Amino acid sequence: MNQLYQDLYTRAEGDRITFGNLKLQLTFDATTGDWLSFAAVGLPGSLLQPTRPTPAADARVNGAWLVEMRGAVLLRSEASVSADRKSGALRLVLGIPASRGAGPPFTHELAVNYTLYPGEARLDRAARLLRLPSPNASETPTVERLEEFRFTLPGVAPGDPADCVVDVPGPWFPTNFVAPDTPYAAMTGKNIGFHGAPDGGFGFVSLRNTKRDVTLAAWMDTGGGETNYSIFLYPEGERLALAFTDRRAYRMAPGFAAESDTQRTELVAGPLENALHQYRAMAEATMPLDPHTPDWARDITLLEVFPNYYKGGFKEITERLPHYRDIGFNTIYLMPHWTGGYSPLDLYEVDPRFGSADDLKAMVATAHRLGMRVLFDMVIHGFNEKSPIPKQRPDLFIHDEAGNIIKHPTWGSLSTDWASPAYQQYMADLAVHDTQTYGIDGYRVDAASYKGPGWDPNSPSPAYRSGAASAELLVKMIAAMRKVNPNAVLLSEVFGPVFYTASNLGHDNQTEAVQQWVEKMERGEVNAAQYRDHMANVYDLLPRGANRVFFARNHDTSWFYHFNGYSPRFMAMDAIHALCAIPEVFAGDPDNGPNPDDDPATWAYYRKLFMARKEFPELAHGERLFRAVACDNPMVFTALRRLNGHQSLVVVSLSDKAETATLTLAGSAALAQAAKEKRAIPLRDLIHDGAVNADPLEAEGLRVTLAPYQVLAGRL
């Protein structure tokens, strides 16, 4: 055995190589480099049980996974200690032949690093792909496309799968929704790909052994969100396999080498939030919050309006602003005002259907006089094919090898190059123009998620950057705006943690999520407790202080799905958002109604919620303690908000019938005193202006009965 450093060691025994510390032990095939076993102290057997030889790391070149398709030979292994003496690594260098079964000469070398830390149950993996020169000197060199790296955890479980649950926190889609604490066995028949990270989501997955109180958590660190990766979960016999695809794409000439990002796997003791906070620590270190977020951004009550839905355009919106302000909205998010809308023709040109530039200026000025701020929508993904901009400024766009501008893979627009200094300057200039000309307070940024690599051979940037550098672009834009308005903000439609480095607020671009959640709840597939856990997980993964916007309806709800109206359950969901997050409300689509402007009762509901946020500041600004309140009724949502010595309990029923719930608040002095005095705790009905008494049961317990969809809050 070779003792590397402190408890780190390596050992070669026959056809196996072992690398470990006092917490973890990894074993590899000495011929192929395949990862054979992964053992952890306190957990029986191997955490991995692959049903077939599976490369632990691979690279996709020109559409094919090299090791999977061609096989590999272990050329050498190397052990080392990091320069800072914080870790040790085993490096396995694989030779990849031209075809399966062929021998040298090899076409590529894939070096896979396994890094352990003294005394820690943490494993980091990274890879380096080298394209070897051809042995045929007369061969004309070609350029290959390195599209992505892949890291797998085959047949993985932290102990007996029967004791395990699965969590994949973040925005959810009907095709890949995993309810909090889903039993492991319920996932083994599924093959799911999740949203990209850290832009579209977190890229975090956990397998928790509830019996042994330990969580296996896995994610990637992409250098501060410099590029994109995705998680894939699929069957491996009776177990699950996880794969992480790291889309760090390059054009590779002979002799070129590319480094992957780091895939991290960690065993964390205690409740799930302990593992979530490990990810948060990584996010805070590599993707820190914009330090210049103004206080007003944390107090937003946001109303989304679309000029196209107002017959009188900007002038009609201006006329309605006093009404919206009276309801309690303090910020207007204006959907596209320029020609072409979400498929822009000219971002500088006001669409004459809505009015003139002077009409738009008057709208913003009126909002400011009313104490409201205004955010313009902003599209950065591309321009319409009929736009004059591509001909005038081809340097703003991504081109293919033939020099043609490529189309966005989702929206079909002519795709702008986010890494291009020319495009970054173009958008910075636009930001200054809009701020100076109209006096706006910031942008809501549309569709900033990863859009694939650019393979233009004339681009000075690596291929991945053209479609991944949106956060870098936003940094340039907000810096330009703040030269005019130091308190300007950005709201990112895509809420992954990378955007908080430039954006001051973020929301979920799965814009039909709540409508779908309501429908799933009606079918008995989800409940209020799961939504509470969903929100808790989101906040536990985000950097502390991140401003998260939640909404039940926006313009895309009907465009990409449907809207069933402002049902009591739907409104109760938005009550949760107003009392536990930064709320956003849509003024409405008259073509896919109802429009709340046509229903005074809908606006009255929101008015009462916003009044409660003013009366109890902790509901707007306080610390969010979703896990502080245990509730025995899964149809009742609970949370605690705390600020400056005040704490308010939020209790919302998502049930269509009366529900009784027992709440437990560990360590609550107020409840202990109330129990001692046998004194009920009054909770206000925020919508119907009544009160409900919550009866103290024990030193830390309350029992409350709620009417259908009742919304309660009260100070303890």
Side-chain angles (χ1 to χ4, degrees):
M1 185 171 71
N2 176 28
Q3 200 74 28
L4 277 181
Y5 176 63
Q6 293 188 17
D7 64 338
L8 302 177
Y9 65 90
T10 60
R11 183 170 61 240
E13 295 178 325
D15 60 353
R16 297 196 170 200
I17 300 171
T18 300
F19 177 44
N21 63 10
L22 290 178
K23 298 284 187 178
L24 301 174
Q25 185 180 87
L26 291 70
T27 305
F28 304 91
D29 187 300
T31 301
T32 63
D34 284 347
W35 192 5
L36 301 178
S37 69
F38 183 23
V41 171
L43 294 173
S46 173
L47 305 183
L48 305 181
Q49 293 185 16
T51 58
R52 55 189 172 83
T54 303
D58 207 342
R60 188 163 75 169
V61 175
N62 293 342
W65 292 105
L66 293 181
V67 181
E68 181 179 312
M69 297 296 293
R70 303 184 193 176
V73 175
L74 180 62
L75 302 179
R76 58 190 179 275
S77 63
E78 306 159 350
S80 63
V81 177
S82 65
D84 61 8
R85 313 295 286 178
K86 291 183 178 180
S87 64
L90 177 66
R91 182 180 181 89
L92 303 181
V93 182
L94 309 178
I96 301 172
S99 61
R100 182 170 290 278
F106 298 112
T107 61
H108 300 80
E109 282 188 1
L110 181 67
V112 187
N113 276 13
Y114 298 84
T115 300
L116 295 176
Y117 298 79
E120 296 185 34
R122 168 183 170 183
L123 168 66
D124 288 349
R125 295 186 290 166
R128 178 180 184 268
L129 183 70
L130 168 65
R131 184 182 177 193
L132 298 169
S134 171
N136 185 352
S138 63
E139 185 178 279
T140 302
T142 60
V143 174
E144 296 180 336
R145 290 183 175 186
L146 168 60
E147 296 163 351
E148 55 194 347
F149 291 91
R150 181 175 66 190
F151 299 91
T152 60
L153 290 167
V156 62
D160 187 344
D163 299 329
C164 297
V165 295
V166 181
D167 281 283
V168 190
W172 65 275
F173 296 77
T175 54
N176 66 13
F177 171 61
V178 177
D181 292 338
T182 294
Y184 186 103
M187 301 298 297
T188 55
K190 297 183 178 180
N191 193 325
I192 304 177
F194 295 92
H195 31 266
D199 51 359
F202 295 111
F204 173 97
V205 61
S206 72
L207 309 174
R208 183 163 186 267
N209 189 317
T210 58
K211 185 176 181 179
R212 295 180 179 269
D213 200 25
V214 64
T215 298
L216 184 147
W219 66 88
M220 291 198 72
D221 180 348
T222 55
E226 194 175 274
T227 190
N228 171 274
Y229 73 95
S230 287
I231 303 172
F232 296 87
L233 184 153
Y234 55 92
E236 179 86 13
E238 297 299 316
R239 294 166 73 100
L240 296 173
L242 300 177
F244 297 80
T245 56
D246 175 29
R247 299 189 176 96
R248 194 166 281 275
Y250 292 89
R251 292 172 52 82
M252 297 189 75
F256 184 87
E259 304 273 351
S260 80
D261 296 293
T262 299
Q263 191 276 309
R264 179 168 168 180
T265 303
E266 187 162 1
L267 289 166
V268 183
L272 174 62
E273 53 262 40
N274 290 357
L276 302 177
H277 292 166
Q278 292 293 95
Y279 177 98
R280 171 195 279 173
M282 179 274 297
E284 290 178 335
T286 64
M287 297 175 280
L289 296 180
D290 172 23
H292 304 296
T293 298
D295 288 341
W296 71 265
R298 300 181 177 90
D299 192 35
I300 284 179
T301 46
L302 187 63
L303 179 69
E304 179 189 9
V305 297
F306 189 16
N308 194 46
Y309 292 159
Y310 295 79
K311 293 180 180 179
F314 302 134
K315 289 183 177 179
E316 184 178 346
I317 295 172
T318 303
E319 292 171 358
R320 295 197 192 188
L321 286 178
H323 174 57
Y324 294 148
R325 187 69 181 104
D326 180 66
I327 292 167
F329 294 105
N330 59 24
T331 306
I332 296 295
Y333 145 36
L334 185 74
M335 289 171 64
H337 64 274
W338 57 80
T339 54
Y342 284 114
S343 184
L345 294 169
D346 189 335
L347 295 168
Y348 283 88
E349 184 176 291
V350 174
D351 192 325
R353 295 178 303 154
F354 309 148
S356 66
D358 286 339
D359 294 333
L360 183 54
K361 293 176 190 177
M363 190 207 81
V364 176
T366 298
H368 286 168
R369 283 197 299 272
L370 293 168
M372 307 175 80
R373 290 179 169 84
V374 178
L375 309 180
F376 278 0
D377 217 335
M378 181 47 58
V379 170
I380 64 172
H381 63 67
F383 283 85
N384 189 290
E385 288 184 274
K386 296 180 180 179
S387 168
I389 305 301
K391 291 183 179 179
Q392 296 169 358
R393 296 294 308 274
D395 56 331
L396 307 182
F397 297 85
I398 303 175
H399 297 77
D400 61 19
E401 286 93 338
N404 301 309
I405 297 176
I406 70 169
K407 291 186 178 182
H408 190 283
T410 302
W411 306 118
S413 58
L414 298 181
S415 192
T416 48
D417 186 347
W418 289 336
S420 163
Y423 180 66
Q424 291 181 1
Q425 188 61 52
Y426 182 89
M427 294 305 293
D429 291 344
L430 175 65
V432 169
H433 168 270
D434 284 349
T435 310
Q436 288 179 333
T437 303
Y438 300 107
I440 60 171
D441 302 283
Y443 286 131
R444 176 266 191 186
V445 182
D446 183 79
S449 54
Y450 178 71
K451 56 181 179 177
W455 299 108
D456 182 357
N458 298 312
S459 173
S461 300
Y464 70 86
R465 279 183 39 77
S466 294
S470 56
E472 178 183 314
L473 168 66
L474 298 188
V475 169
K476 301 287 179 63
M477 291 174 65
I478 191 63
M481 296 186 84
R482 285 177 177 160
K483 291 179 180 178
V484 182
N485 179 356
N487 290 318
V489 303
L490 294 181
L491 162 62
S492 175
E493 177 194 21
V494 188
F495 93 92
V498 65
F499 292 114
Y500 283 95
T501 60
S503 302
N504 312 101
L505 308 108
H507 68 57
D508 187 349
N509 59 313
Q510 172 58 4
T511 53
E512 59 270 30
V514 170
Q515 179 63 65
Q516 292 168 342
W517 188 283
V518 167
E519 293 169 12
K520 290 173 76 71
M521 186 171 286
E522 289 169 352
R523 297 193 296 267
E525 298 172 5
V526 295
N527 57 47
Q530 290 172 327
Y531 198 71
R532 177 203 60 211
D533 291 345
H534 162 68
M535 294 185 71
N537 291 344
V538 165
Y539 279 107
D540 276 338
L541 286 166
L542 286 174
R544 285 165 291 193
N547 295 312
R548 176 83 168 98
V549 176
F550 281 83
F551 56 81
R553 181 193 185 191
N554 89 335
H555 63 276
D556 281 333
T557 304
S558 294
W559 292 2
F560 293 102
Y561 192 57
H562 58 254
F563 176 54
N564 290 339
Y566 296 101
S567 68
R569 180 173 280 140
F570 184 93
M571 296 301 290
M573 293 287 289
D574 238 3
I576 291 170
H577 302 153
L579 302 176
C580 297
I582 294 174
E584 176 183 328
V585 179
F586 182 39
D589 176 353
D591 298 324
N592 297 279
N595 186 333
D597 278 341
D598 300 327
D599 182 13
T602 300
W603 283 142
Y605 191 103
Y606 285 109
R607 179 184 285 109
K608 290 178 178 180
L609 293 175
F610 300 155
M611 287 175 62
R613 285 170 57 92
K614 284 189 173 183
E615 184 175 354
F616 303 105
E618 59 270 23
L619 296 178
H621 311 290
E623 182 183 5
R624 297 171 182 86
L625 302 171
F626 294 102
R627 305 185 198 276
V629 184
C631 177
D632 69 344
N633 189 324
M635 293 305 294
V636 176
F637 179 100
T638 55
L640 200 65
R641 302 294 307 270
R642 182 183 295 158
L643 179 70
N644 297 332
H646 294 294
Q647 60 180 11
S648 281
L649 176 65
V650 175
V651 187
V652 180
S653 173
L654 295 181
S655 173
D656 59 358
K657 61 181 184 295
E659 298 284 352
T660 297
T662 298
L663 314 181
T664 304
L665 289 79
S668 173
L671 287 191
Q673 185 63 28
K676 183 178 180 181
E677 299 173 1
K678 297 183 179 180
R679 170 174 46 85
I681 302 290
L683 299 177
R684 182 183 302 179
D685 185 325
L686 299 184
I687 306 304
H688 300 103
D689 302 320
V692 172
N693 284 329
D695 298 319
L697 296 177
E698 298 173 353
E700 299 172 349
L702 283 175
R703 178 173 291 151
V704 60
T705 298
L706 296 92
Y709 309 115
Q710 195 165 26
V711 179
L712 304 177
R715 278 185 173 164
L716 299 179

